[in-house]
Amino acid sequence: MNLMMNRWKALAAALTLVAAPVASQEGQGDVVYVPTPQIVVDEMLNMAKVGPKDFLIDLGSGDGRIVITAAKKHGARGFGVDLDRYLLKLANAGAQKEGVSDRAKFVEENLFNTDLTQATVITTYLLPEMNLKLRPKILALKPGTRVVAHDYHMGEWSADQERVLIVPEKTVGDPGKSYIYLWLVPARVAGVWESRLAAGGEARQYAFYFDQEFQEVSGKVTVNGRQAKFSRFRLAGDAVNFVITANLGGKPVSHRFNGRVKDGTIEGNVTVTGDAPGPRVIPWTATQSAHGEMKMGNDAAGGR
Ligand SMILES: C[S@@+](CC[C@H](N)C(=O)[O-])C[C@H]1O[C@@H](n2cnc3c(N)ncnc32)[C@H](O)[C@@H]1O
């Protein structure tokens, strides 16, 4: 509900960003230049937990404040792209002045052509339709890549986290407020996964049938060919966490699975409770035996 309200507000705010005040209108391309207030930049980088191992790309970098702050306060590396030569000059001079020009660079490029494969973090302060246009390219990146957007969402791809900051000096968008959205690129888990577990004195055969729409996963599970109850699936980047309850030997046996998805396998552990006096943690590996399609919503660009 909150998300829907925020989306309507964001849409209204987008209309204001298109018609931003003349004083802040520079920049070139698909959206005018409006800088993200510094307190919002700080919060965006904190939400994404930016650190020295990160490579950040700011799409439409303006005066460069996001990449420069990431380099100076978080030790990250990265670059920004813009089409406005005046802003690019300002950004490179800013990086020089702050002593981070070796780690923060700004280049002239259309953001829709930027190679994003190096990024561990992507930041945007663009219009919703621009975010939507970028969405398929972002969803094809390495699972776990973080995307942080100021004010504007990604359509039907719900944010993993969102925050509203009170920013009294902000006059564009939703005046006095900034919305920050954080997404993690989800691993592709749609399809069928199989594993065997030696548990409760027997070898059990598990089959997981996952449907996926962005980071939302549902589906069914069988244990030794019999359907089990499947609940609470969480997918955060490449990390999966879900619970099943199987009726085994007349008793409900709960399994809490945790693992990381990589190259057609999930590796981690499972905590089994209910078939022995206490819970047991057992190593767990699942192998993908059939691939499914990740659904990507029905909105504008559709992500397809
Ligand atoms: C709203 S400003 C955001 C600036 C900066 N990211 C920030 O948050 O402070 C958007 C920037 O995107 C740039 N821009 C617009 N369309 C672009 C495009 N197609 N390619 C590259 N830059 C673009 C504009 O010149 C402007 O500097």
Side-chain angles (χ1 to χ4, degrees), residues 42-171:
D42 291 337
E43 191 59 24
M44 288 169 77
L45 299 177
N46 286 338
M47 274 174 77
K49 297 192 173 74
V50 173
K53 289 190 182 150
D54 279 314
F55 194 95
L56 183 146
I57 299 179
D58 187 25
L59 295 174
S61 48
D63 68 359
R65 58 183 63 199
I66 296 181
V67 189
I68 292 171
T69 307
K72 195 165 170 154
K73 291 195 185 164
H74 300 261
R77 286 179 309 133
F79 65 81
V81 299
D82 210 294
L83 292 175
D84 186 306
R85 290 186 183 163
Y86 170 75
L87 289 170
L88 286 164
K89 229 171 155 179
L90 202 64
N92 279 314
Q96 188 84 38
K97 183 166 165 271
E98 297 298 335
V100 293
S101 56
D102 56 333
R103 282 178 291 128
K105 303 194 189 301
F106 300 92
V107 291
E108 184 177 343
E109 185 171 64
N110 189 317
L111 61 89
F112 292 111
N113 299 335
T114 302
D115 177 358
L116 302 177
T117 50
Q118 207 185 345
T120 57
V121 180
I122 293 166
T123 53
T124 68
Y125 183 19
L126 304 171
L127 297 170
E129 62 268 26
M130 295 173 77
N131 286 349
L132 267 190
K133 196 169 161 190
L134 287 166
R135 197 174 74 181
K137 196 167 158 186
I138 290 174
L139 281 163
L141 294 173
K142 192 169 173 278
T145 304
R146 291 99 86 203
V147 185
V148 205
H150 179 199
D151 268 355
Y152 305 115
H153 58 79
M154 289 259 189
E156 289 179 32
W157 183 15
S158 321
D160 291 275
Q161 258 186 62
E162 55 180 273
R163 215 161 273 176
V164 185
L165 284 194
I166 303 301
V167 188
E169 71 273 21
K170 186 167 176 260
T171 54

